[in-house]
Amino acid sequence: MKLFKTVDDKLKEIGFVKTKENEYGVEYEKTNATDTHEYIHKVCILHKSSGKHILQSYDPDLMDEKKVGNTCVGLTGYEMKLFLKKMKQIGLYSK
């Protein structure tokens, strides 16, 4: 039995599974289902050479109307808190 849960453990409890992690960042996916459709919620913490590292939350299968990029998916306060903690852990939190 673990005494303390890691950020990854807590994210897994709420459905986010880590799909990739390397020196440039980390990616998580969660499958969400509503009454009308099912979608993937992807969250990426990414390194940028400018030092302004980013957190992206989106549905990879859903493009916007102008075909510019994927549609944003919002995060709850708890989810955001966990992802920010992960950004700090891997050294990609920038002010």
Side-chain angles (χ1 to χ4, degrees):
M1 182 178 100
K2 285 186 178 182
L3 193 55
F4 297 103
K5 293 181 184 176
T6 66
V7 173
D8 287 335
D9 291 338
K10 291 177 183 180
L11 286 166
K12 192 170 186 175
E13 279 181 355
I14 58 174
F16 284 98
V17 178
K18 185 173 17 174
T19 58
K20 182 178 178 181
E21 184 170 9
N22 60 32
E23 66 273 16
Y24 299 108
V26 61
E27 296 179 0
Y28 296 88
E29 286 187 358
K30 176 181 179 180
T31 302
N32 286 319
T34 66
D35 292 339
T36 56
H37 68 287
E38 184 175 296
Y39 67 96
I40 301 219
H41 182 178
K42 188 168 189 168
V43 177
C44 301
I45 299 171
L46 301 169
H47 173 273
K48 293 189 76 168
S49 59
S50 67
K52 296 180 180 179
H53 313 302
I54 61 172
L55 176 94
Q56 292 180 316
S57 174
Y58 62 96
D59 178 351
D61 296 327
L62 188 59
M63 292 289 286
D64 62 4
E65 291 177 5
K66 295 183 180 180
K67 307 285 188 231
V68 175
N70 300 96
T71 301
C72 162
V73 177
L75 294 168
T76 66
Y78 181 66
E79 292 167 343
M80 180 63 78
K81 180 180 173 183
L82 291 175
F83 285 117
L84 287 174
K85 190 170 186 178
K86 183 67 177 185
M87 285 182 87
K88 290 176 183 178
Q89 277 183 353
I90 62 175
L92 294 181
Y93 182 80
S94 52
K95 295 180 182 180

